[in-house]
Amino acid sequence: MVVYLDIIWLLNLLFDSLLLYLTAILLKRKFKYWRLITGGFIGSLIVLLSFTPFSWITSHPVSKFVCSVFMVWIAFGFKRWRYFINGLLTLYLSTFIAGGALIGVHYFIQYDPKLTENVLISSVKGFGDPITWFFIMLGFPTAWHFAKNRFDRMEIAKINYDQLVSVVIRVDEKDYNFSGMIDSGNQVYDPISKMPVMFVSINKRRNQLPKEFIQLAEESEEIIMGQTEISGEWQNRLRIIPCKVVGKDHQLVTAIKPDLIIVTTKEEQIFCEKGLISFTAQQLSSEDAFECIVHPKMLTGHRQSVNEPQVS
């Protein structure tokens, strides 16, 4: 059997460097490319040593662990133990995810019972692995990109989760509860009173809300044009707000002035007395994570800890 040592070593150098790069991305650490490549070079030395009299050392788990320690130390340096161990564990996590995805795809596409039995019975010696190098060259970058993309989406989901709040809208001494998300992109104000506008979806709550809320959401244009009238007691609360949306330069939306808006975060409650609510029949979150988009200006009201008794 012909073994192309230079190609095997170069692939290992590339893969180890990419794993260190993925580790740096996951940990949001600053890095220098030459340090990542040097760390990858240290990891690839195991391949070269496998063809020397010291090959028995390279196959031992302790040797592999020591090699990974040097890889992390060279790539990211040592600032404190927690910093270093974090990098080491994340490197192993990146390796397991990328390698596991690669092996999983291989056996998903091609399954050979006899081959599987031989792999389980006998130890895989590395260069005789049934996973071809051609498949690895194509599959590893794909698995690496998949792992990076998944972690990016998890990070986005975490950020969105941190921005979720509980919202209470009080109208005529009745409270209506919604789940909300704080969105800095919401910059809609009433041009006259300068009050911020919160957008609330009634999509999943039609049977739980007053008919006026439903009317404002579904017949907003008719109300603005005077074709439909809203009940008299709501006339004083009604506002017409100009705003800009994608695809349209100007649009008018209806909004009401509630008695009070209470925004509850993990740590505190914010009481907003100067705010407007605009209802929509559209679903604001495709995953039902929130029902309303909270204007960031509404977080500047009176605050109190969630452990304190509520002020009415």
Side-chain angles (χ1 to χ4, degrees), residues 25-45:
I25 292 175
L26 296 180
L27 293 176
K28 302 292 188 295
R29 290 184 179 177
K30 295 182 180 179
F31 61 89
K32 295 182 179 179
Y33 286 103
W34 70 266
R35 298 195 67 159
L36 297 184
I37 296 174
T38 305
F41 173 76
I42 296 299
S44 67
L45 288 179

Side-chain angles (χ1 to χ4, degrees), residues 48 100 302:
L48 300 178
H302 170 70

Side-chain angles (χ1 to χ4, degrees), residues 89-296:
L89 293 178
T90 306
L91 173 62
Y92 278 110
L93 177 64
S94 304
T95 304
F96 294 153
I97 291 176
L102 192 63
I103 295 174
V105 170
H106 176 269
Y107 285 107
F108 179 80
I109 297 174
Q110 181 179 4
Y111 178 74
D112 187 345
K114 185 176 180 181
L115 179 62
T116 304
E117 181 181 354
N118 293 335
V119 172
L120 293 175
I121 294 176
S122 60
S123 60
V124 178
K125 298 185 182 293
F127 306 113
D129 195 311
I131 302 177
T132 63
W133 281 105
F134 179 75
F135 177 79
I136 292 177
M137 284 188 291
L138 293 179
F140 182 85
T142 303
W144 182 90
H145 178 74
F146 174 80
K148 178 181 179 296
N149 188 51
R150 287 297 94 193
F151 276 105
D152 287 343
R153 290 183 178 273
M154 289 171 61
E155 183 68 20
I156 292 173
K158 179 181 181 298
I159 292 173
N160 288 338
Y161 176 78
D162 291 339
Q163 292 176 331
L164 295 181
V165 294
S166 176
V167 177
V168 175
I169 299 173
R170 183 171 297 170
V171 180
D172 291 335
E173 299 183 354
K174 292 184 179 180
D175 290 347
Y176 303 94
N177 296 279
F178 298 91
S179 57
M181 186 188 74
I182 304 169
D183 184 10
S184 59
N186 178 12
Q187 295 295 325
V188 180
Y189 291 88
D190 177 13
I192 299 176
S193 64
K194 303 301 181 182
M195 286 190 288
V197 180
M198 175 193 299
F199 293 91
V200 177
S201 171
I202 58 136
N203 187 270
K204 303 287 186 179
R205 306 281 295 276
R206 296 176 186 270
N207 299 327
Q208 305 171 13
L209 299 174
K211 64 178 182 179
E212 288 81 7
F213 288 9
I214 311 299
Q215 187 179 9
L216 286 166
E218 297 181 343
E219 303 176 24
S220 177
E221 186 174 347
E222 289 81 358
I223 294 174
I224 294 172
M225 299 299 295
Q227 299 172 357
T228 300
E229 291 187 2
I230 195 169
S231 59
E233 60 189 48
W234 290 81
Q235 289 288 344
N236 295 332
R237 297 182 182 272
L238 184 63
R239 304 287 190 277
I240 306 299
I241 311 296
C243 67
K244 292 183 179 181
V245 295
V246 178
K248 296 182 180 180
D249 291 335
H250 299 284
Q251 183 181 11
L252 296 176
V253 298
T254 57
I256 64 166
K257 174 66 174 67
D259 298 327
L260 181 65
I261 301 172
I262 305 175
V263 180
T264 304
T265 66
K266 297 178 182 178
E267 302 171 349
E268 59 187 357
Q269 286 184 321
I270 300 100
F271 298 86
C272 176
E273 297 181 353
K274 296 182 179 180
L276 300 176
I277 307 296
S278 178
F279 295 97
T280 176
Q282 296 181 353
Q283 186 173 346
L284 299 177
S285 171
S286 59
E287 300 177 356
D288 290 334
F290 54 89
E291 300 167 291
C292 59
I293 299 177
V294 181
H295 197 292

